[in-house]
């Protein structure tokens, strides 16, 4: 793993510990377009369940393109179900 990756993780842990009122995204989804879609759907669903109020909230928090995320996951057979707040 790169040192920058670990620095980022440690910084997030320290930030949460020292300032629990500050919300930091729990997962790094910045390379989502390169991820295997079957792994990505698990990460996204976990983030939706644990840290996001909606898909819109998730994409804003992680600075993602909602259209690109939907396209990538739909190409793998997943569709977003807002009533369940998850991809299936």
């Amino acid at each position: 793993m790169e040192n920058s990756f670990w620095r980022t993780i440690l910084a997030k842990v320290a930030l949460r510990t020292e300032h629990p009122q500050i919300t930091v995204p729990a997962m790094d989804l910045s390379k989502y377009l390169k991820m295997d879609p079957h792994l990505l759907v698990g990460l996204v669903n976990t983030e939706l369940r644990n840290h996001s109020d909606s898909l819109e909230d998730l994409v804003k928090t992680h600075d993602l393109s909602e259209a690109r995320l939907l396209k990538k996951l739909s190409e793998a057979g997943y569709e977003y179900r807002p009533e369940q707040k998850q991809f299936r």
Side-chain angles (χ1 to χ4, degrees), residues 26-27 42-53 85:
M27 296 184 187
L43 293 174
V44 168
N45 281 340
T46 299
E47 188 69 9
L48 283 165
R49 181 179 61 246
N50 296 335
H51 302 285
S52 301
D53 294 327
K85 204 171 83 168

Side-chain angles (χ1 to χ4, degrees), residues 1-58:
M1 287 284 173
E2 296 179 11
N3 286 336
S4 62
F5 170 80
W6 289 112
R7 276 194 294 264
T8 301
I9 296 299
L10 291 174
K12 287 179 181 182
V13 169
L15 187 60
R16 285 185 178 165
T17 303
E18 296 168 15
H19 305 283
Q21 70 278 12
I22 296 175
T23 303
V24 178
M27 296 184 187
D28 180 8
L29 296 174
S30 62
K31 295 183 171 102
Y32 73 103
L33 290 175
K34 295 179 182 178
M35 289 182 187
D36 177 278
H38 305 292
L39 295 175
L40 177 60
V41 74
L43 293 174
V44 168
N45 281 340
T46 299
E47 188 69 9
L48 283 165
R49 181 179 61 246
N50 296 335
H51 302 285
S52 301
D53 294 327
S54 64
L55 180 60
E56 182 180 322
D57 180 39
L58 179 136

